[in-house]
Amino acid sequence: LAMNKNKQGLDVCAEHKERVMNNIKCTCGSLLDMRDGKFGTYFSCINCGNISLRKALEMKEIMSE
């Protein structure tokens, strides 16, 4: 359960409180900019627009392979 915020301001569980997210790249190759909005954390790509946290994490897995 996400009850804490890490150094980046992302809601995380107590186990991941000290962790930070490294740079995440979009599938187009641009770096994603993390933002906090009305409905929680999301990312913004200069080329593709806004991307949900879930999609950004999926992109991170795809790009790391």
Side-chain angles (χ1 to χ4, degrees), residues 2-40:
M3 300 291 290
N4 300 299
K5 289 195 180 275
N6 68 1
K7 293 176 185 176
Q8 294 173 306
L10 184 64
D11 291 326
V12 294
C13 66
E15 184 178 327
H16 295 103
K17 187 175 180 181
E18 298 302 319
R19 286 185 156 186
V20 293
M21 271 201 201
N22 295 330
N23 294 334
I24 298 176
K25 284 193 175 184
C26 183
T27 51
C28 73
S30 297
L31 287 176
L32 296 177
D33 182 32
M34 185 170 38
R35 300 188 177 185
D36 192 37
K38 182 177 178 181
F39 300 108

Side-chain angles (χ1 to χ4, degrees), residues 21 24-27 32 43 51-65:
M21 271 201 201
I24 298 176
K25 284 193 175 184
C26 183
T27 51
L32 296 177
F43 290 85
I51 299 170
S52 71
L53 176 62
R54 182 182 56 81
K55 283 187 177 183
L57 293 175
E58 287 175 3
M59 284 185 206
K60 183 178 177 182
E61 282 187 36
I62 291 169
M63 300 301 276
S64 67
E65 291 177 352

